[in-house]
Amino acid sequence: MNANGNGREMDTDALVRTLAAENRPAADRHKVERSLALGAAAGLAGVVAAVLALGDVRPDLLETLGGAGLSKFGGGVALAAGAFHMLRRLGRPGTGAIDGLCLGLFALAAAIVAGVVATAQVTAPLDAVLRQTPRYAALMILLSAIPLATVLPALRVAAPTRPAGAGAAAGLLAGSLTALGYALWCPADDALFVAVSYGAAIATTALAGCLLGARVLRW
């Protein structure tokens, strides 16, 4: 009787702890967002520090914001925001990866880049762009390892049921953050070159995140 009584008491205690965990204060329910925000901020700071170690910030940075800089920074911010929103959704079981806000941010990023390419004066021929892209994209991909290394561990507080998808979203966020930091130094202003090289680097980082996420985010 005592053993059975103790067993029922233990079951009751476990039930109480479970119910308490499900009814934590609202602030605790935002731990995924806080963790991701801290990871993203640390990753962006790391990229900026690495870029500044390579060279100085462009002295004409503000002058470029009406042209190529708009696609670098405007498109980068919209893409990073969309990836962050997708990632926070993927970190919650039973929540779909894509919603209206996510689609809207991705569409805004695409519209900004496409608009700049369509209206800017493209000076580099496509074959030259394709020849130069691997060199510039490779540096961005290497730099993307910094935010990817801070964003993926931040997901450990979440419960992603699709680790590969969550990893891809983490890679997309890491690539977008890297593009923002890299743009502080990047001397290239040709709209087509920016779209192709930055796009290739971000896509590669998203793929790397997918492969890594399938391993490190499995639970």
Side-chain angles (χ1 to χ4, degrees):
M1 288 297 292
N2 289 336
N4 292 336
N6 290 337
R8 286 195 295 271
E9 183 178 348
M10 292 177 61
D11 290 342
T12 302
D13 290 342
L15 178 59
V16 169
R17 287 195 297 270
T18 301
L19 293 174
E22 293 175 352
N23 291 278
R24 288 173 179 171
D28 287 346
R29 292 200 293 268
H30 296 298
K31 66 178 182 179
V32 174
E33 287 80 0
R34 288 200 307 272
S35 181
L36 288 176
L38 289 173
L44 179 58
V47 171
V48 171
V51 168
L52 293 179
L54 295 175
D56 295 330
V57 174
R58 288 184 58 164
D60 60 344
L61 183 63
L62 293 178
E63 300 172 12
T64 70
L65 295 182
L70 179 61
S71 63
K72 293 176 182 177
F73 291 103
V77 168
L79 188 60
F84 183 90
H85 184 60
M86 177 189 289
L87 202 51
R88 63 180 289 273
R89 290 178 63 83
L90 283 168
R92 300 185 184 281
T95 303
I98 301 291
D99 65 354
L101 177 58
C102 195
L103 288 175
L105 289 168
F106 288 153
L108 177 60
I112 291 173
V113 174
V116 171
V117 172
T119 58
Q121 183 178 1
V122 177
T123 57
L126 181 58
D127 60 337
V129 169
L130 295 178
R131 285 198 306 272
Q132 293 295 323
T133 289
R135 181 162 62 98
Y136 283 87
L139 178 56
M140 292 183 64
I141 293 168
L142 289 175
L143 290 172
S144 295
I146 299 173
L148 192 58
T150 60
V151 172
L152 275 178
L155 272 174
R156 299 298 295 180
V157 305
T161 57
R162 287 164 287 181
L172 187 60
L173 176 58
S176 304
L177 295 173
T178 300
L180 291 172
Y182 182 75
L184 296 174
W185 168 86
C186 179
D189 285 334
D190 183 84
L192 182 59
F193 176 79
V194 169
V196 173
S197 60
Y198 280 52
I202 292 172
T204 302
T205 307
L207 177 60
C210 178
L211 297 176
L212 286 172
R215 297 177 62 87
V216 304
L217 297 179
R218 186 177 300 158
W219 58 282

